[in-house]
Amino acid sequence: MSSGIAFVNGRYVFKKEAMVNVEDRGYQFADGVYEVIAVSNSRLIDLDAHLDRLSRSLAELEIAWPLKRRVLVLIFSKLIKRNNLKDGNIYLQISRGVANRNHSFPKTRVRPSLVITVSKFGRPSDKKFREGVKVVTMQENRWSRPDIKSIALLPNVLAKEFAYKKDSFETWFLDVDQTITEGSSTNAWIVHPKGEIVTRELGTKILGGITRARMVELARSAGMFVTEKPFSLQDALSAEEAFITSTTSLVMPVIEIDGKTIGSGRPGPVALKLKKLYEEFCIKGGVK
Ligand SMILES: Cc1ncc(COP(=O)(O)O)c(C=O)c1O
């Protein structure tokens, strides 16, 4: 459920009254980037990592920061207070700004547009976490830089809808070599029968999920064996467990891929343990 007060280009406004210019390049070309940051007990989880990723996305697209990083953090705090947000998400979008429609970058200085909204209760149901979810696969059809958190999400939107129509929670993209890259809005993980936990390595083929990074760190600190490398659909189908991670789905067990049951068909011990570790991390305020 989205919440009342947003921050739009320098002003706090009621979200239902908030407006963007029709010439905004985010609206015209999807020329912008975004972040989704979890709020737990009114605290922002892994804030620095999100802002570092934002900084990288902006730099890759040559979009300037619309304001100083510490000012952005102050605005987040204000929005959390004004919306009385305890648990939910902050959504932030920065576009290249407003200019006459023309594909190339504006040649005069344009101020990047900034929109921040908050939402409450953005998480999947307890039932899904208890029972696990189904995943389907489709051929990778995104651009070659999904490591940039761009707002150009049409292939991801279509992939999520594909999952929905197949009564599934997520679609995993299959690269040309039949390895899984990631989900439409989540990172993909499997657990091999001998306990090795595998998720694809960072690079240009996946978005470097903040939850993924935190999970790698939490799992290794707990003595679990994590390898960052590609895995194939075949590996996934014969895995002991599978799961997905993201800011909004946390650690979600996967019990079926393309109609084939994974492991016991129930959420596995590794996914459950990681979810617990992550929840404990969030309860502590998410700061290390
Ligand atoms: C394509 C994609 N991969 C992975 C993720 C997970 O990233 P994070 O853990 O930072 O939410 C997302 C989240 O939006 C995503 O869109």
Side-chain angles (χ1 to χ4, degrees):
M1 193 169 55
S2 69
S3 227
I5 296 174
F7 182 88
V8 180
N9 290 324
R11 292 195 310 134
Y12 293 92
V13 287
F14 286 114
K15 201 165 103 172
K16 54 181 188 228
E17 290 164 15
M19 306 245 227
V20 289
N21 192 307
V22 291
E23 293 278 42
D24 193 290
R25 290 180 62 94
Y27 177 67
Q28 294 282 353
F29 297 113
D31 185 4
V33 301
Y34 76 107
E35 278 295 328
V36 180
I37 309 173
V39 176
S40 174
N41 212 8
S42 300
R43 295 174 75 167
L44 289 148
I45 303 302
D46 273 326
L47 175 63
D48 281 339
H50 280 281
L51 293 181
D52 288 348
R53 182 172 67 184
L54 175 65
S55 184
R56 179 178 178 277
S57 297
L58 287 169
E60 289 286 348
L61 300 186
E62 297 175 47
I63 298 175
W65 275 80
L67 35 73
K68 289 207 170 72
R69 190 164 157 146
R70 71 180 164 73
V71 178
L72 200 54
V73 176
L74 278 176
I75 296 168
F76 290 160
S77 305
K78 275 208 171 146
L79 281 175
I80 289 172
K81 273 210 189 85
R82 287 194 176 194
N83 287 291
N84 197 16
L85 182 66
K86 202 161 170 296
D87 295 299
N89 303 308
I90 286 211
Y91 175 84
L92 163 152
Q93 177 172 316
I94 298 170
S95 83
R96 195 177 305 279
V98 175
N100 287 337
R101 192 176 186 284
N102 185 354
H103 285 58
S104 62
F105 295 177
K107 299 300 174 267
T108 51
R109 243 176 103 93
V110 170
R111 190 190 310 190
S113 303
L114 169 64
V115 172
I116 312 173
T117 55
V118 308
S119 61
K120 293 178 179 169
F121 317 118
R123 300 221 160 122
S125 65
D126 286 347
K127 184 169 183 283
K128 284 205 166 61
F129 285 113
R130 241 186 357 258
E131 296 181 358
V133 296
K134 299 178 196 170
V135 159
V136 285
T137 61
M138 73 157 50
Q139 223 43 56
E140 180 67 85
N141 61 5
R142 299 174 298 165
W143 72 321
S144 57
R145 294 300 307 277
D147 57 308
I148 299 170
K149 202 162 168 64
S150 141
I151 57 174
L153 288 173
L154 189 55
N156 308 60
V157 166
L158 296 179
K160 193 68 100 185
E161 185 62 16
F162 178 72
Y164 175 78
K165 288 195 172 123
K166 299 219 168 228
D167 189 30
S168 297
F169 184 78
E170 179 61 301
T171 294
W172 281 2
F173 290 113
L174 264 181
D175 212 355
V176 276
D177 61 0
Q178 298 301 295
T179 56
I180 307 287
T181 52
E182 62 179 335
S184 70
S185 65
T186 58
N187 287 113
W189 302 66
I190 59 169
V191 183
H192 281 308
K194 285 190 178 152
E196 181 190 15
I197 304 169
V198 183
T199 191
R200 197 173 182 115
E201 77 281 9
L202 297 178
T204 53
K205 299 252 173 188
I206 64 165
L207 179 75
I210 303 304
T211 323
R212 173 198 172 284
R214 179 56 63 197
M215 218 58 73
V216 168
E217 192 266 321
L218 289 173
R220 285 185 177 148
S221 305
M224 297 159 103
F225 179 38
V226 183
T227 314
E228 297 172 73
K229 65 178 182 191
F231 61 88
S232 67
L233 175 58
Q234 206 44 53
D235 293 332
L237 295 176
S238 54
E240 199 58 28
E241 284 183 45
F243 57 95
I244 54 182
T245 57
S246 78
T247 298
T248 48
S249 301
L250 313 179
V251 184
M252 176 62 81
V254 170
I255 49 147
E256 196 182 294
I257 301 173
D258 284 345
K260 176 158 184 312
T261 302
I262 304 304
S264 65
R266 307 269 318 143
V270 173
L272 293 177
K273 166 129 198 221
L274 285 177
K275 178 164 179 276
K276 189 158 172 279
L277 287 173
Y278 190 68
E279 282 169 348
E280 284 166 5
F281 168 73
C282 291
I283 287 166
K284 279 189 237 146
V287 185
K288 279 241 146 175

